């Protein structure tokens, strides 16, 4: 994987069915994802790494609200590369994804 480039797949854009609600899609409810294989999944939250590999994703970027008392800033060990972004950084990433044709 060294030097390899992988496209981003925002959960809302990677859903397979319209029966999935927008919030479920943005949070990457894995029951509805199809377009994640070989991509870095971008989610409005952090999803379990093992579940992400089941849909074929190679990495995960998620929004982490460190102001939420239920959220810990402890490190997470995962079987895939994962990163959590604060609100402003995550919004910048979403802006990039929404401005790019080839994000999926």
């Amino acid at each position: 994987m060294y030097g390899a480039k992988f496209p981003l797949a925002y959960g809302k854009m990677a859903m397979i069915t319209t029966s999935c609600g927008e919030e479920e899609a943005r949070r990457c409810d894995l029951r509805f994802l199809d377009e994640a294989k070989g991509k870095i999944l971008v989610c409005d939250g952090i999803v379990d790494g093992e579940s992400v590999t089941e849909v074929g994703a190679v990495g995960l970027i998620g929004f982490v609200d460190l102001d939420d008392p239920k959220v810990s800033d402890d490190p997470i060990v995962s079987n895939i590369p994962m990163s959590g972004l604060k609100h402003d950084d995550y919004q910048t990433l979403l802006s990039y994804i929404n401005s790019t044709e080839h994000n999926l």
Side-chain angles (χ1 to χ4, degrees):
M1 288 181 124
Y2 179 77
K5 296 180 181 181
F6 298 97
L8 301 174
Y10 182 37
K12 184 173 117 175
M13 298 171 180
M15 64 183 179
I16 60 172
T17 176
T18 56
S19 67
C20 174
E22 183 174 340
E23 184 166 332
E24 293 167 313
R26 288 186 295 114
R27 292 195 171 277
C28 298
D29 186 322
L30 300 175
R31 297 173 297 165
F32 301 106
L33 293 179
D34 184 46
E35 299 292 329
K37 187 171 183 165
K39 299 175 182 162
I40 298 171
L41 195 54
V42 179
C43 305
D44 291 0
I46 295 294
V47 181
D48 175 54
E50 288 184 33
S51 299
V52 170
T53 58
E54 289 177 18
V55 295
V58 297
L60 173 69
I61 300 173
F63 166 62
V64 179
D65 183 2
L66 293 176
D67 294 328
D68 184 340
K70 296 180 279 185
V71 174
S72 169
D73 63 352
D74 293 335
I76 297 172
V77 177
S78 177
N79 59 337
I80 64 168
M82 296 175 67
S83 183
L85 300 178
K86 293 189 238 176
H87 183 266
D88 290 346
D89 296 329
Y90 189 72
Q91 292 304 314
T92 299
L93 176 62
L94 290 184
S95 178
Y96 168 75
I97 289 171
N98 290 326
S99 70
T100 306
E101 289 180 32
H102 306 290
N103 51 42
L104 275 180

